[in-house]
Amino acid sequence: MVKTTTLVVTGLIFIGLGAFIGWYGFPKMLHSKITQAKNLKKGTENRKNWAKFPLALDFKIYIYNVTNPDEVHVGKKAIVQQVGPFFYREWKSKANLVDDPEADTITYNMVNTWYFDEEESKPLTGDEVLVIPNILILTFATLTMQTKPGALNMINKAIPQLFGNPKNIFMTTTAKEFLFEGVLINCTQSKEFAVNTVCDQIRAKPAGLEVIDNDYFKFSIFGTKNNTPDENSLTVKRGIVDIQDVGKVVLYNGKPEMEFWSGPKCNEIKGTDTTIFPPFMDTKDVWNFGAEICRSLAAKYVGPTVFKGIHGYHYTADLGDMSTDPNLKCFCPTNDTCLKKGAFDVTKCTGAPLVLTLPHCYGCHVDYMNGVTGMNPSEELHGIYSTFEPITGTPVAGKRRLQFNMFVQQIKKITVMKELAPEPFLMPLLWVDEGLELNDTLARTVRNALYRPIRIVKYGRYILIGFGLFFIVMGVIVFYRKTKLNPDGSVTDDNKTTITQVSPAY
């Protein structure tokens, strides 16, 4: 009986060990290791990679060339032609880092640096001559009409000197000048009161303009932002106290909520800073705070997927519909005017009358897609998506795509705008495709580092339990081989005397 007991006890030990390691010990250890590796504690590898991202993101820019500017000038429908991609490498880093151990936070300013990739951009060089809307003319005219319509005559008198006597609202320039190098604004002294007044305002607030000297400025889309700390600061959680808070934005410019929009729901700050996400994800919405658009945006869970052998969760996002969603009403430009589905006015955020959509107005109201000729939206090319490895919260693939547009309409008091179509239409300017996909080497590293130990434990626990069951079965077999039941009811042990079953006498 000693051998039988030993086998059974050994089997139970193996079963208990397999169950403990497989369903408690290893998951707990894995949770602890990921928690330690994922937080933003000073001196850790993760903190260093978060502060200066070790990989360059793909940053593709597509510009809309207007092929019929003279016809648009007299009220005809614009025809646009997409030119791109102009391929850039985007490096992300963070400056002016300040830790607050008591609050478990870090405050920083974001820095984006772009480098033109000539090889990936071929055959494009950036020197292509394009016809595009003059953003500054449209900005001056639109904002003045909205806030001080009485000053439109002054803006109209200033436009010829500032922009070289334009014949319409379009300018001819190269892609590089438009994007980074800058288009010249001439503010040399003039006898015109209007010109001097506008230029004095530019000198007082040259935000977004490259200052050449007191009289000359340059305007570009990304030039002043390149390799320059953003003026807005973010304060995020380090995740040392609670790993589920890592990267969560808690302050924007030192305040717990924004002040751009008309209601608290829209001014609420939700989600991470988009550069790090908490581990142990479920299928709930993933919220991100986009400081550059002054808005929190939710990525919706679509379903499971596999990316280069990595099992992940797939999410998509859009800009919503403020005209029908009560939670988005506070994003409406005014209490009485809301944009239609898929459009988001960021004038209050950027100071320029820009409207965001997805590229080619994908998912937008048909009026916006049909405002010009040349829009060809598709989910594959123009949708926003992201794929996460859910255990570590690592983004393994994703595309953030946004299109910048401006409303164009007839303004009688502006010479270059008085013959435009009377009904406002959405004019696309350009769109960007910012993304990252793990290459084969990194994907293999993730699979080996994460899945190999998980597989070993997954199958190892069943092997241990299998051994345990084997020992128990062997114990039962040994017991029955050593012990026999006789026909008369007596039990015979091969190593002991026969024990007779005694029946009571009646």
Side-chain angles (χ1 to χ4, degrees):
M1 295 296 291
V2 175
K3 290 183 178 180
T4 299
T5 304
T6 301
L7 289 170
V8 172
V9 171
T10 301
L12 291 173
I13 290 173
F14 270 100
I15 291 174
L17 192 61
F20 177 81
I21 293 175
W23 281 280
Y24 179 76
F26 179 75
K28 191 172 182 65
M29 181 194 71
L30 182 66
H31 189 284
S32 176
K33 290 290 185 183
I34 291 175
T35 298
Q36 292 174 13
K38 192 79 178 184
N39 68 49
L40 297 175
K41 186 178 181 180
K42 270 187 177 181
T44 62
E45 188 71 16
N46 192 55
R47 168 71 173 255
K48 182 175 70 174
N49 291 336
W50 172 82
K52 187 174 183 179
F53 200 62
L55 298 174
L57 277 67
D58 295 339
F59 195 83
K60 304 173 187 177
I61 306 174
Y62 300 81
I63 302 174
Y64 290 102
N65 180 52
V66 181
T67 63
N68 63 335
D70 293 334
E71 293 180 1
V72 177
H73 178 64
V74 293
K76 303 294 185 181
K77 190 174 185 179
I79 301 173
V80 297
Q81 176 189 41
Q82 175 181 287
V83 181
F86 298 94
F87 200 107
Y88 288 80
R89 300 292 181 184
E90 180 186 31
W91 293 90
K92 288 185 174 291
S93 59
K94 298 172 176 70
N96 309 319
L97 277 71
V98 178
D99 285 68
D100 184 345
E102 186 175 341
D104 192 29
T105 60
I106 312 169
T107 300
Y108 70 89
N109 300 87
M110 194 71 194
V111 182
N112 292 315
T113 305
W114 293 280
Y115 296 97
F116 184 64
D117 191 320
E118 294 182 2
E119 287 299 316
E120 291 290 341
S121 297
K122 286 182 177 178
L124 299 176
T125 64
D127 294 321
E128 291 76 16
V129 176
L130 305 172
V131 176
I132 54 180
N134 190 314
I135 295 177
L136 290 179
I137 290 179
L138 292 177
T139 296
F140 289 155
T142 302
L143 292 182
T144 302
M145 182 183 67
Q146 292 174 351
T147 58
K148 296 180 180 179
L152 283 171
N153 285 329
M154 182 179 66
I155 296 296
N156 187 50
K157 291 179 180 179
I159 286 175
Q161 179 168 322
L162 292 176
F163 303 107
N165 294 306
K167 296 179 180 179
N168 52 46
I169 61 166
F170 300 100
M171 63 180 179
T172 301
T173 185
T174 67
K176 283 183 177 179
E177 288 174 341
F178 178 54
L179 295 175
F180 285 95
E181 295 176 357
V183 177
L184 189 66
I185 303 173
N186 183 358
C187 263
T188 50
Q189 293 297 318
S190 169
K191 296 180 180 179
E192 282 285 349
F193 171 77
V195 175
N196 291 331
T197 301
V198 173
C199 285
D200 286 343
Q201 293 179 349
I202 292 175
R203 293 185 185 100
K205 295 182 178 180
L209 300 177
E210 179 186 352
V211 180
I212 306 301
D213 57 33
N214 194 51
D215 294 327
Y216 291 97
F217 303 85
K218 281 189 174 182
F219 166 78
S220 64
I221 300 297
F222 300 106
T224 58
K225 301 175 183 177
N226 196 13
N227 197 28
T228 303
D230 189 84
E231 61 181 6
N232 300 303
S233 67
L234 294 178
T235 301
V236 304
K237 285 288 188 178
R238 300 186 302 177
I240 298 174
V241 175
D242 185 351
I243 192 61
Q244 290 303 309
D245 285 339
V246 67
K248 179 182 178 182
V249 181
V250 292
L251 298 176
Y252 174 69
N253 289 329
K255 298 180 180 180
E257 62 180 23
M258 296 175 288
E259 299 175 344
F260 299 104
W261 314 112
S262 62
K265 195 75 176 176
C266 294
N267 283 315
E268 185 180 1
I269 298 173
K270 294 181 68 175
T272 73
D273 64 357
T274 75
T275 64
I276 192 170
F277 299 87
F280 317 117
M281 299 175 68
D282 51 29
T283 57
K284 295 178 181 177
D285 293 349
V286 175
W287 282 88
N288 306 283
F289 177 66
E292 68 278 11
I293 63 173
C294 307
R295 177 179 175 179
S296 296
L297 201 62
K300 305 288 185 181
Y301 177 73
V302 176
T305 189
V306 177
F307 175 81
K308 295 185 178 181
I310 300 172
H311 294 271
Y313 289 169
H314 190 68
Y315 296 80
T316 61
D318 58 44
L319 296 171
D321 185 356
M322 66 180 68
S323 66
T324 60
D325 188 341
N327 292 322
L328 302 181
K329 287 287 185 181
C330 42
F331 284 131
C332 295
T334 70
N335 293 331
D336 302 320
T337 57
C338 287
L339 300 191
K340 299 173 184 177
K341 180 184 177 184
F344 175 47
D345 189 312
V346 291
T347 304
K348 295 177 181 178
C349 170
T350 64
L354 294 172
V355 175
L356 298 183
T357 63
L358 297 194
H360 285 254
C361 292
Y362 170 70
C364 291
H365 191 279
V366 67
D367 287 352
Y368 297 147
M369 286 190 285
N370 294 336
V372 300
T373 299
M375 298 288 98
N376 299 290
S378 79
E379 181 178 5
E380 180 182 359
L381 297 176
H382 307 130
I384 298 175
Y385 74 87
S386 53
T387 298
F388 292 89
E389 193 294 304
I391 298 175
T392 61
T394 301
V396 297
K399 294 286 187 181
R400 187 172 68 156
R401 296 156 166 160
L402 287 175
Q403 179 168 297
F404 297 83
N405 314 266
M406 298 184 81
F407 277 113
V408 174
Q409 69 180 92
Q410 185 182 91
I411 301 179
K412 292 287 188 180
K413 292 184 178 181
I414 304 295
T415 301
V416 293
M417 301 180 72
K418 66 182 181 180
E419 294 184 76
L420 292 171
E423 288 297 320
F425 64 94
L426 198 62
M427 171 68 78
L429 306 173
L430 76 157
W431 66 275
V432 297
D433 182 342
E434 181 186 57
L436 175 68
E437 289 187 355
L438 293 188
N439 58 37
D440 293 340
T441 301
L442 288 175
R444 190 183 310 114
T445 301
V446 172
R447 292 197 304 269
N448 291 340
L450 182 61
Y451 292 158
R452 182 177 292 173
I454 290 176
R455 280 198 301 268
I456 291 173
V457 172
K458 178 181 178 180
Y459 295 115
R461 65 190 180 187
Y462 290 116
I463 291 173
L464 288 173
I465 291 172
F467 272 119
L469 293 174
F470 172 77
F471 280 115
I472 291 174
V473 170
M474 289 301 297
V476 172
I477 291 173
V478 169
F479 175 79
Y480 277 101
R481 280 184 176 177
K482 292 173 59 179
T483 308
K484 295 184 292 185
L485 184 65
N486 297 320
D488 62 356
S490 63
V491 178
T492 301
D493 188 317
D494 291 342
N495 301 317
K496 297 185 179 179
T497 58
T498 300
I499 302 171
T500 305
Q501 181 176 347
V502 179
S503 299
Y506 294 99

